[in-house]
Amino acid sequence: MDRCPPSGHRHVQLVERYLETQLAGDVRGTLRLLDEALARGTPITELQCQVIQAAQREVGHLWEGNRIGVAREHQASAISQLALAHLFSRAQPEPSRGISVAVACVEGELHELAVRLVADYLELAGFTVSYFGSNLPTGSLVSMLEQEPADVVALSTTMTFNLPALRRTILAVRERLGEQQPILVGGPALADAPGLSTELKVRTAGSSPSELVAGVQAVLRERRH
Ligand code: B12
């Protein structure tokens, strides 16, 4: 499966055109760009990872530098959300691995696109994904997992100020579902908490499709030992 190189990759021009149409608020133009790339044989994971994810990071830089306002960022991100759904509907998932993964942002975390991508990557790689989106109250997650257990729980945290919520969620899941429940954590905030995974006995994983799949496999292997 493809890795997700941060820069200097072969889709630089496509990222520029995607950004341009996205920032112009041109929904159909953005989807057309993706369809044209698909018709040229570009793999869907490359479009998700090396085009849409790369463009979103650039949107962040523009926003941070006050070169676009909040309304433009919201519009651009909404277009990327639609673009991901568009690609998902065209993708052919790998055969089922018979492994279920519950995917959610911790309580208070609003960065849904990150966790949407995680869910899409895993689903297309053959995992059975239950996707719970952003800002999931901890109690609701735990009740849901009691009703519908998942082989792996994958939790996303973008903002550093949501790390206490991540900690609470891990502790609540372990309390109600047992110490053996495999938990995978990820998202930009984890870079600010290097000791957290060892302390709470969870596993972190990177952001590319291959790193995510390897993360789920590793956390399941660890449970068996
Ligand atoms: C869009 C956006 C928003 C939107 C989100 C809308 C949506 N539907 O998702 C909204 C407007 C809600 C928002 C709000 C805020 N945001 Co914002 N946002 C962004 C932006 C521009 C893009 C995010 C995105 O889509 N990234 C693309 C995703 C796909 O990439 P990713 O996050 O790296 O995800 C990958 C990995 O992290 C990993 N991963 C993620 N989760 C998991 C989980 C597991 C288990 C694993 C293994 C891996 C994994 O895999 C993912 C897929 O490959 C970023 C810029 C950026 N650099 O990302 C800022 C950014 C993250 N936001 C930022 C800020 C400051 C905020 C606000 C505080 C702003 C405010 N003042 O209100 C709030 C906080 C809201 C909250 N409580 O969570 C800062 C954070 C800086 C920091 N670290 O402190 C950033 C970096 C912008 C910036 N450069 O300043 N934001």
Side-chain angles (χ1 to χ4, degrees):
M1 209 172 280
D2 314 279
R3 290 185 63 79
C4 191
S7 60
H9 55 76
R10 65 195 185 95
H11 295 305
V12 172
Q13 277 187 345
L14 185 53
V15 174
E16 277 169 13
R17 290 177 61 209
Y18 179 94
L19 250 182
E20 213 175 275
T21 45
Q22 172 188 39
L23 291 172
D26 181 356
V27 180
R28 290 186 189 285
T30 311
L31 299 186
R32 208 164 36 241
L33 266 185
L34 296 175
D35 284 339
E36 286 164 7
L38 285 176
R40 289 194 300 273
T42 313
I44 284 187
T45 47
E46 286 190 21
L47 295 174
Q48 291 167 316
C49 189
Q50 297 176 22
V51 177
I52 300 178
Q53 187 170 341
Q56 280 303 116
R57 292 204 170 130
E58 189 50 33
V59 167
H61 292 137
L62 295 171
W63 177 34
E64 195 180 20
N66 275 330
R67 285 187 283 155
I68 59 169
V70 172
R72 188 64 78 203
E73 171 282 311
H74 277 33
Q75 185 184 34
S77 298
I79 290 177
S80 281
Q81 223 144 6
L82 196 67
L84 287 178
H86 186 72
L87 289 180
F88 187 80
S89 72
R90 278 158 177 70
Q92 185 60 46
E94 285 177 27
S96 172
R97 296 170 189 250
I99 296 169
S100 58
V101 188
V103 179
C105 284
V106 297
E107 193 160 353
E109 182 58 66
L110 300 183
H111 290 90
E112 188 181 355
L113 256 153
V115 80
R116 178 72 262 171
L117 260 176
V118 168
D120 288 359
Y121 289 156
L122 292 176
E123 176 104 25
L124 296 180
F127 294 94
T128 306
V129 173
S130 295
Y131 173 69
F132 299 111
S134 65
N135 189 24
L136 183 65
T138 307
S140 304
L141 172 67
V142 171
S143 304
M144 177 54 86
L145 290 171
E146 282 178 329
Q147 289 165 40
E148 295 176 13
D151 295 316
V152 175
V153 178
L155 299 170
S156 177
T157 315
T158 293
M159 300 305 301
T160 309
F161 60 64
N162 284 326
L163 284 170
L166 173 65
R167 182 180 285 272
R168 279 195 300 278
T169 309
I170 294 168
L171 294 176
V173 169
R174 286 268 152 82
E175 194 186 313
R176 298 265 289 274
L177 291 134
E179 291 296 317
Q180 292 302 309
Q181 172 67 54
I183 302 177
L184 186 69
V185 299
L190 271 300
D192 299 326
L196 186 136
S197 53
T198 314
E199 182 201 333
L200 296 177
K201 297 194 181 70
V202 294
R203 174 168 270 275
T204 49
S207 61
S208 69
S210 56
E211 287 169 315
L212 272 157
V213 170
V216 172
Q217 288 168 334
V219 82
L220 283 169
R221 264 198 314 275
E222 281 159 11
R223 180 184 54 176
R224 294 191 194 108
H225 292 138

